[in-house]
Amino acid sequence: MYDAALSDTASKFPIDIQPFRDMIEGMRLDLWKSRYRTFDELYLYCYYVAGTVGLMTVPVMGIAPDSKASAESVYNAALALGIANQLTNILRDVGEDSRRGRIYLPLDELAQAGLTEEDIFRGKVTDKWRRFMKGQIQRARLFFDEAEKGVMHLDSASRWPVLASLWLYRQILDAIEANDYNNFTKRAYVGKAKKFLSLPAAYARAALSP
């Protein structure tokens, strides 16, 4: 059924096959790669497993007819949202991933912060860890900011769900901070009340013209 739905969608919208191939490549990476030396390496992984989703969905969601933004800028914003979401997943799941022997953090940036792989496996929140996490969260928020600029140029029917999901996912970063950067043993999440409160505000913002 899923293949039929995908085939039908691909026949109705101008979807490029390359993001699908790239996503499969990202899944293959998880079979053998569990460390990332630099942010450039990590960015490529984030593109493979999440940025591709943005590129797949823009043709379906559509760009607003009255938008003056270039198609390239809208696609770049969609890519940024995928990167932001995956970086947020990584920061939320540091403890869970480490218990599986995986570290999805740039090793060179860990070293610059005076941290090692053993510090990740030990799972103790220290001042060094807090400083490191502040920088990682700041970078993820920059990608969310870039993504938000493009959401308003989507077709009006698509803006609300995309903007709402962006706002809700970005709040996971707030939850990590509220947990005093303990993403080793505490799972950061957005409570139901906050989710419901975000929806009307996102709806009102999405109703504005681009």
Side-chain angles (χ1 to χ4, degrees):
M1 290 190 295
Y2 296 125
D3 288 342
L6 179 58
S7 177
D8 179 67
T9 302
S11 70
K12 292 178 179 177
F13 299 95
I15 298 175
D16 185 3
I17 191 62
Q18 192 59 46
F20 291 87
R21 291 176 174 146
D22 289 343
M23 175 176 276
I24 292 170
E25 183 61 30
M27 303 305 163
R28 288 189 178 124
L29 275 178
D30 274 335
L31 296 176
W32 63 272
K33 191 173 178 67
S34 60
R35 302 290 189 279
Y36 292 84
R37 293 175 300 169
T38 66
F39 181 71
D40 286 344
E41 279 191 13
L42 183 63
Y43 178 92
L44 183 60
Y45 171 76
C46 291
Y47 160 71
Y48 281 148
V49 300
T52 50
V53 177
L55 303 186
M56 293 173 189
T57 53
V58 168
V60 179
M61 293 185 292
I63 298 175
D66 56 341
S67 171
K68 293 181 173 59
S70 67
E72 181 181 6
S73 69
V74 177
Y75 274 88
N76 285 339
L79 172 59
L81 181 55
I83 301 296
N85 285 344
Q86 186 60 27
L87 289 175
T88 300
N89 286 340
I90 288 168
L91 299 179
R92 179 194 62 196
D93 298 340
V94 169
E96 182 179 331
D97 288 333
S98 70
R99 288 187 286 277
R100 296 174 178 172
R102 297 179 175 274
I103 298 177
Y104 292 99
L105 298 166
L107 297 181
D108 62 342
E109 295 181 14
L110 278 172
Q112 289 166 15
L115 296 163
T116 66
E117 292 186 24
E118 286 306 312
D119 290 316
I120 304 298
F121 294 129
R122 195 175 297 117
K124 183 178 180 181
V125 177
T126 62
D127 287 340
K128 286 182 180 179
W129 179 251
R130 291 185 183 95
R131 285 193 294 270
F132 173 77
M133 282 301 302
K134 286 177 183 178
Q136 301 298 308
I137 287 173
Q138 181 182 23
R139 178 161 54 203
R141 283 184 173 137
L142 289 175
F143 279 103
F144 276 122
D145 292 344
E146 182 181 348
E148 190 166 357
K149 295 174 186 176
V151 172
M152 297 308 297
H153 295 282
L154 293 174
D155 187 81
S156 59
S158 303
R159 285 180 213 149
W160 182 32
V162 177
L163 187 62
S165 66
L166 186 156
W167 284 7
L168 292 172
Y169 230 78
R170 185 163 54 190
Q171 289 181 62
I172 294 174
L173 300 174
D174 301 334
I176 295 173
E177 292 173 332
N179 286 342
D180 193 29
Y181 306 99
N182 182 3
N183 42 7
F184 297 115
T185 59
K186 291 185 178 180
R187 184 173 178 85
Y189 67 95
V190 181
K192 289 184 179 179
K194 286 187 177 181
K195 288 180 180 178
F196 281 120
L197 289 173
S198 296
L199 294 178
Y203 181 83
R205 177 73 179 88
L208 301 176
S209 299

